[in-house]
Amino acid sequence: MAFPYLEAVLGFMIFMYLFETYLDLRQHAALKLPNLPKPLEGVISQEKFERARAYSIDKSYFHFIHEAVTILMDTAILYFGILPWFWKLSGNLVAYLGLDAENEIIHTLSFLAGVMIWSQITDLPFSLYSTFVIEARHGFNKNLHANGNNLVLYTLLQQTIWLFFRDMFKGICLSILLGPPIVSAIIFIVQKGGPYLAIYLWAFMFVLSLIMMTLYPILIAPLFNKFTPLPDGELREKIEKLAASLKFPLKKLFVVDGSTRSSHSNAYMYGFFNNKRIVLYDTLIQQCKNEEEVVAVIAHELGHWKLNHTMYSFIAVQILTFLQFGGYTLVRNSKDLFESFGFDSQPILIGLIIFQHTVIPLQHLVNFGLNLVSRTFEFQADAFAKKLGYANALRAGLIKLQGVLEAGDKACLFHKWGGGKGFTSEEEGSQVWKKGSVKAGCKWYLMSMKKKSSLNLGGSKIPKEENLSAMNTDPWYSAYHYSHPPLVERLSAIEEADSKKEN
């Protein structure tokens, strides 16, 4: 009797959905907690916490609906034999167009074209709701949050929808341009690979990944965002000085216009060997009013490079890729496997898809292990930046990246972690801190920033809504899902290191 592959896959898919829904419910309960985590008390105001909490709860409700619809569709596609039906339908289309339906490459590309259309149609409502309802409601869709005037808001809405669909169109064009040659190459390798098939497939994907890592920032990323050199000034000098002190071969330093789509901020680096580049989101520069905070974030990223985290991750991915291809070669000719999913033939691409479904249990275990390693790397990179003397600035920068920090909060932050030294250059503020009046200091800073409401950085006003991430997180949910530790855990780790040093 043949092994019931389809039933096993469906059973595990449903089991994982139930398990992950249980974790989602735990996280949803944590999001509803009305109080700030202790490490953020005195740093984040209650009003900002409520905003972050509301944003996270909205996303959580949306996630429940999206996941329920996804599992229903995936289960129906497998159980009712939609895959083999669609494979035959794509073959009939090829024949109808007068092409060779026996040519597996042409047949496969026809099948993938249909899958892409289906994916775009089913994903579009969720993407639109996420971008134009949830993100806009909480201030991350910049154009929708720009002005209360109905006419201006309508005009900006039109521009934003145009930007959304323009990006989607560019993505489809890239898929059409890059997908066929890659898929054709994989099919050709499988047809001709012989006993060394796994090695050939891995070598192809290895070379492809190197090419894409080289071309993406140069040719593809500029299609969606504008990259400009960071202007000369104190910030650039500090970053270059930091890179030089670590012997990081920095060649170019860019600012990307992430603010055109969102208020979320970040920084990253890329490049091979002695041709490294660092990219800052313009929102990061706008939100981190203190340049030391930006430099601290860069110090964290350089910590990943200095500690070889990027190399370790790349090697791990290559090993896992090779093992996956090795497993595929063991089952690619299994007639029982294909028949279990309703196929009377053994197409190469379908074999890869089915194999991915059959190893879902292992993939979940591997992903959990990779998350644990990634979280460890994040703690190590934070410790690296702290060792360079950026502890206070890193704390503030992390809150900007993952939390919420505005004028009144900043005053409290400097009281808690900076002793008032980094408050402002204004004499009045210094005197307030010398008197030890924390509440008065927070109030003074808030009032002074209100007077400077037109403060401008890099040609863009500092946005009121910045990054709103979950501040209360369930430990089980965090351990299973997060590749980066939650903000509270990272701040606690830095605090713990300080405490040990003082003791």
Side-chain angles (χ1 to χ4, degrees):
M1 181 177 178
F3 183 80
Y5 292 102
L6 175 61
E7 290 77 6
V9 167
L10 288 173
F12 190 79
M13 284 173 54
I14 295 172
F15 169 78
M16 288 308 304
Y17 169 73
L18 295 175
F19 171 69
E20 291 180 353
T21 299
Y22 168 71
L23 295 181
D24 292 339
L25 290 170
R26 290 179 59 98
Q27 174 67 1
H28 192 78
L31 294 176
K32 287 189 171 183
L33 293 176
N35 300 318
L36 273 164
K38 284 189 177 181
L40 295 180
E41 291 177 355
V43 178
I44 302 296
S45 70
Q46 187 66 24
E47 188 267 331
K48 309 308 179 298
F49 167 67
E50 291 296 339
R51 282 172 44 215
R53 181 167 166 261
Y55 175 59
S56 298
I57 291 174
D58 267 8
K59 290 201 304 179
S60 179
Y61 280 125
F62 176 74
H63 176 75
F64 281 121
I65 297 173
H66 185 237
E67 290 302 301
V69 173
T70 299
I71 189 64
L72 286 174
M73 287 197 303
D74 290 348
T75 303
I77 287 172
L78 292 178
Y79 183 79
F80 292 107
I82 304 298
L83 271 182
W85 172 80
F86 199 73
W87 174 260
K88 292 179 180 178
L89 182 66
S90 61
N92 294 335
L93 177 62
V94 170
Y96 177 78
L97 295 175
L99 301 175
D100 183 9
E102 297 300 319
N103 186 310
E104 187 169 348
I105 292 178
I106 296 177
H107 192 164
T108 300
L109 294 179
S110 173
F111 173 81
L112 288 178
V115 170
M116 183 174 68
I117 294 173
W118 167 258
S119 298
Q120 292 293 337
I121 293 173
T122 54
D123 290 343
L124 186 59
F126 295 103
S127 298
L128 288 173
Y129 187 85
S130 176
T131 302
F132 294 102
V133 178
I134 296 180
E135 295 292 300
R137 180 185 298 161
H138 298 278
F140 290 121
N141 190 323
K142 298 293 289 298
N143 287 338
L144 290 182
H145 199 70
N147 197 305
N149 181 278
N150 289 336
L151 178 60
V152 174
L153 183 60
Y154 175 77
T155 303
L156 291 171
L157 175 61
Q158 297 296 99
Q159 293 174 351
T160 307
I161 291 178
W162 162 247
L163 183 63
F164 176 88
F165 282 104
R166 188 182 68 182
D167 285 351
M168 186 176 71
F169 176 74
K170 289 179 180 178
I172 293 173
C173 290
L174 284 173
S175 298
I176 294 173
L177 180 66
L178 300 177
I182 294 174
V183 171
S184 300
I186 291 175
I187 293 175
F188 178 80
I189 292 172
V190 173
Q191 290 174 341
K192 307 294 183 181
Y196 302 104
L197 174 59
I199 296 176
Y200 295 147
L201 283 173
W202 169 80
F204 171 73
M205 295 305 297
F206 175 75
V207 173
L208 179 64
S209 64
L210 294 180
I211 293 174
M212 293 304 297
M213 288 168 63
T214 302
L215 296 182
Y216 178 82
I218 299 174
L219 298 178
I220 299 177
L223 295 175
F224 298 91
N225 290 96
K226 183 180 180 181
F227 292 78
T228 56
L230 180 67
D232 292 335
E234 189 174 353
L235 177 59
R236 186 181 185 96
E237 291 175 1
K238 288 181 178 180
I239 294 175
E240 290 177 342
K241 182 179 179 181
L242 173 63
S245 68
L246 298 174
K247 297 182 180 180
F248 179 77
L250 177 61
K251 295 299 181 183
K252 294 183 179 180
L253 191 53
F254 292 109
V255 178
V256 61
D257 63 338
S259 59
T260 58
R261 291 166 175 80
S262 173
S263 292
H264 295 294
S265 52
N266 205 348
Y268 64 91
M269 56 187 175
Y270 65 92
F272 294 107
F273 308 114
N274 292 325
N275 187 29
K276 303 288 187 182
R277 306 178 185 189
I278 293 178
V279 177
L280 306 176
Y281 279 53
D282 57 355
T283 47
L284 176 65
I285 299 175
Q286 294 163 11
Q287 292 165 11
C288 292
K289 305 169 184 70
N290 185 340
E291 290 179 346
E292 286 297 308
E293 296 169 5
V294 180
V295 179
V297 173
I298 299 301
H300 168 91
E301 297 300 327
L302 291 176
H304 286 304
W305 169 79
K306 194 70 174 179
L307 299 172
N308 295 315
H309 293 165
T310 306
M311 180 60 68
Y312 294 149
S313 300
F314 184 77
I315 292 173
V317 169
Q318 297 309 312
I319 293 174
L320 291 173
T321 302
F322 178 75
L323 292 176
Q324 280 190 318
F325 284 135
Y328 164 70
T329 59
L330 297 177
V331 301
R332 71 185 185 93
N333 292 321
S334 172
K335 185 178 179 181
D336 291 341
L337 177 62
F338 282 88
E339 288 181 347
S340 179
F341 284 83
F343 287 89
D344 52 15
S345 60
Q346 298 179 11
I348 292 171
L349 179 71
I350 297 300
L352 285 167
I353 294 174
I354 293 176
F355 174 73
Q356 290 298 317
H357 278 86
T358 58
V359 296
I360 285 177
L362 289 176
Q363 287 179 338
H364 280 281
L365 290 175
V366 169
N367 288 337
F368 177 69
L370 291 176
N371 280 346
L372 292 179
V373 173
S374 177
R375 288 158 66 94
T376 301
F377 285 170
E378 292 302 315
F379 284 126
Q380 291 177 353
D382 285 347
F384 181 86
K386 179 180 179 297
K387 189 176 179 181
L388 295 177
Y390 293 103
N392 291 337
L394 180 62
R395 291 184 183 106
L398 288 175
I399 293 173
K400 299 288 180 62
L401 285 169
Q402 296 179 280
V404 184
L405 190 63
E406 292 187 16
D409 302 322
K410 187 173 182 180
C412 301
L413 174 67
F414 280 124
H415 165 74
K416 182 166 184 175
W417 285 326
K421 296 179 182 179
F423 186 35
T424 66
S425 59
E426 284 84 346
E427 180 64 22
E428 185 177 358
S430 300
Q431 292 301 322
V432 169
W433 288 120
K434 288 179 182 179
K435 293 177 182 179
S437 177
V438 178
K439 291 183 179 179
C442 294
K443 183 177 180 181
W444 172 85
Y445 192 87
L446 180 59
M447 294 303 295
S448 69
M449 287 302 295
K450 282 184 177 179
K451 294 177 183 178
K452 301 175 183 178
S453 59
S454 61
L455 181 63
N456 191 288
L457 263 176
S460 301
K461 288 186 178 180
I462 298 174
K464 182 179 179 183
E465 282 76 11
E466 298 177 357
N467 301 289
L468 300 177
S469 66
M471 298 185 191
N472 285 309
T473 56
D474 177 74
W476 287 22
Y477 181 92
S478 170
Y480 180 78
H481 282 291
Y482 288 176
S483 61
H484 284 53
L487 173 64
V488 173
E489 292 184 22
R490 296 177 72 173
L491 295 179
S492 297
I494 297 174
E495 289 275 348
E496 184 179 354
D498 284 341
S499 300
K500 288 181 179 180
K501 185 176 181 181
E502 290 175 4
N503 291 335

